[in-house]
Amino acid sequence: MSLKADVAVLGAGIVGVSAALHLQKRGRDVVMIDRRGGAGEETSYGNAGLIERSSLFPYSFPREWGTLVRYAQNRSTDAHYHASALTVVAPWLARYYAHSSPEGIAQTFTASKPLIERSLIEHEALMEEAGATHLLRKVGWIKAFRTETSLAKGLAEAEKLRRYDLAIDTLDGAGIAEREPHIGSGLIGGLHFKDPGAVSDPGALVRAYATLFMTQGGRFLQGDAKTLSQNGSGWQIATEDGLVMAREVVVALGPWADDIFRPLGYDIPLGIKRGYHLHFRPKGNAVLNRPMLDVDGGFLLAPMSHGIRLTTGAEFARRDTPQTPVQIARAEPKARALFPLAEAIEAKPWMGARPCLPDMLPVIGEAPRHPGLWFDFGHQHHGLTLGPVTGRLLAELITGETPFTDPRPYQLERFV
């Protein structure tokens, strides 16, 4: 049996679901295909829950000599690497370092700004339609510091961001305690970024968007994206419900996108930053009101519907290597000193993989040698943030609308 559709979207994370919804809004018959058969069960599930409206400046590779030495020693909480993977990881890190020059950061800032600025707007529109506004809390997040050096750097960053009409409160230790009464001592200052939204259950949000897609006539099938092949002027993919035939296909597979583009001959420098999280129950009546990043501790705590989520920084390793949650082990004692955590809820940490390009921008656009093949991946730390806004941009490109922003900075051709 074969099924027909205008567009097949491969991947059911926040990026794929958002693209499917925006294409559906524009009258396309869309089928969404995922190997797990559920939405938001991979990378989209494991983030800090932030819709990061204030992250105009990219997560660049550090260039301070002291930081580089600390990372090289491989004992830090915020970064970890597998020595056995360096032959694979090091060339990508070299490109990441090169793009993190002042000129590179300026280019990424200019290109990402239109996406970041509309990120919360596009989310709120979908939340209203999906009946998921209860998952959003407009409380922002706090970036906290323990040393004068890190505080000074944070204050300088905040001054740059305020030029773009972002609401940022500067806090001393007492100010942090006033907003987060159950936080422990040792913090000398912080920044409260008030524009971002905090999602209490990222996985539930993606499922709500997927439910909206299906109630509006969209089809969601289980299948293997690696069965994708060209069929005349279109594409076909095998699913458990039969062969899907589509005129166009969207690759929204995040860290697994290379399973598609490499066999087709595209050399896209997709890198992986793995990350971990673990939920804890709070002790007694302790409450964390908003996500908090301990900059010097190298971890983030976020209040979620499942408990207090402890998230880690980046682990540089091969994508499919078994997990090595050393960063969770390093962060947990520090997190317990910061906030009264009780027992862990899960038996072991969750691990996910962030899909990253060295210039810190996603790939959005049509494959130059394969008409009807569209890419939408590489959202790095901002998959949850950028899913709906890049879904809109992609849908505008596919349907021939005038895009709301210049799409050229995100095209694959920048790497060719």
Side-chain angles (χ1 to χ4, degrees):
M1 182 180 71
S2 63
L3 308 171
K4 293 185 178 180
D6 295 331
V7 186
V9 175
L10 307 182
I14 183 62
V15 173
V17 173
S18 298
L21 273 171
H22 276 286
L23 285 162
Q24 187 183 62
K25 286 174 181 291
R26 288 157 176 81
R28 293 299 195 265
D29 176 26
V30 183
V31 59
M32 190 162 56
I33 301 170
D34 190 88
R35 64 180 181 177
R36 295 178 65 121
E41 296 182 359
E42 298 279 7
T43 308
S44 296
Y45 168 74
N47 52 72
L50 289 171
I51 301 173
E52 241 304 37
R53 170 62 184 84
S54 64
S55 277
L56 292 176
F57 295 105
Y59 287 91
S60 58
F61 195 97
R63 292 192 155 218
E64 301 87 355
W65 179 246
T67 302
L68 294 174
V69 170
R70 179 167 61 86
Y71 285 169
Q73 293 172 339
N74 211 19
R75 294 197 296 267
S76 68
T77 303
D78 51 338
H80 178 249
Y81 63 87
H82 288 188
S84 61
L86 284 179
T87 55
V88 174
V89 173
W92 186 87
L93 288 176
R95 295 186 71 163
Y96 184 21
Y97 179 86
H99 280 287
S100 296
S101 66
E103 297 78 16
I105 291 174
Q107 291 174 2
T108 299
F109 167 83
T110 301
S112 63
K113 185 171 177 285
L115 303 180
I116 295 291
E117 286 181 331
R118 288 203 61 83
S119 59
L120 187 54
I121 295 170
E122 298 294 341
H123 259 292
E124 288 186 293
L126 292 185
M127 286 179 186
E128 286 286 346
E129 294 180 52
T133 55
H134 62 286
L135 295 172
L136 176 66
R137 299 173 63 234
K138 292 188 174 182
V139 293
W141 65 285
I142 290 177
K143 190 174 188 177
F145 307 93
R146 295 179 179 275
T147 68
E148 294 292 345
T149 300
S150 62
L151 176 60
K153 186 176 179 180
L155 292 174
E157 175 192 331
E159 283 308 305
K160 293 179 183 178
L161 287 170
R162 287 191 179 101
R163 301 171 192 168
Y164 303 97
D165 297 322
L166 291 170
I168 307 170
D169 288 350
T170 301
L171 308 174
D172 57 14
I176 294 175
E178 181 180 350
R179 298 186 192 198
E180 298 293 346
H182 294 102
I183 288 294
S185 60
L187 301 175
I188 64 170
L191 297 164
H192 182 185
F193 296 89
K194 302 173 77 172
D195 297 275
V199 176
S200 61
D201 190 335
L205 181 64
V206 180
R207 291 192 295 274
Y209 289 171
T211 299
L212 173 64
F213 168 74
M214 289 184 285
T215 58
Q216 295 179 153
R219 289 169 288 172
F220 186 10
L221 306 178
Q222 188 168 1
D224 187 350
K226 288 188 282 188
T227 64
L228 177 70
S229 64
Q230 285 184 288
N231 182 5
S233 60
W235 298 85
Q236 64 181 34
I237 311 99
T239 75
E240 292 189 356
D241 292 84
L243 201 62
V244 172
M245 317 286 287
R247 294 199 309 268
E248 296 178 287
V249 64
V250 174
V251 178
L253 293 167
W256 298 277
D258 59 347
D259 290 341
I260 303 300
F261 68 70
R262 291 200 192 284
L264 294 174
Y266 293 100
D267 185 17
I268 305 172
L270 179 65
I272 301 299
K273 295 182 185 179
R274 305 201 314 181
Y276 299 83
H277 82 228
L278 187 63
H279 291 101
F280 296 85
R281 292 185 176 87
K283 282 186 178 179
N285 64 347
V287 174
L288 185 65
N289 295 308
R290 57 186 58 79
M292 175 174 283
L293 172 65
D294 186 329
V295 172
D296 300 285
F299 64 90
L300 184 144
L301 291 176
M304 296 281 177
S305 58
H306 304 298
I308 305 298
R309 179 177 288 185
L310 169 62
T311 72
T312 68
E315 179 180 68
F316 297 96
R318 288 182 172 87
R319 183 190 64 194
D320 300 324
T321 300
Q323 64 170 258
T324 52
V326 296
Q327 290 164 286
I328 287 284
R330 292 169 180 168
E332 183 178 339
K334 301 176 184 179
R336 290 186 178 280
L338 181 67
F339 182 83
L341 298 173
E343 71 277 9
I345 294 172
E346 300 97 347
K348 65 177 184 178
W350 175 93
M351 184 190 77
R354 307 177 185 100
C356 303
L357 282 304
D359 62 356
M360 298 155 280
L361 293 170
V363 172
I364 305 169
E366 191 171 19
R369 299 191 304 274
H370 292 81
L373 176 65
W374 297 82
F375 292 138
D376 187 7
F377 65 86
H379 293 62
Q380 38 121 11
H381 296 262
H382 293 318
L384 180 67
T385 296
L386 297 179
V389 69
T390 58
R392 172 184 167 177
L393 177 60
L394 181 78
E396 289 171 344
L397 294 173
I398 290 176
T399 59
E401 293 181 38
T402 301
F404 75 89
T405 190
D406 184 357
R408 287 175 295 180
Y410 324 113
Q411 290 175 341
L412 165 63
E413 285 84 346
R414 72 188 195 265
F415 295 119
V416 175

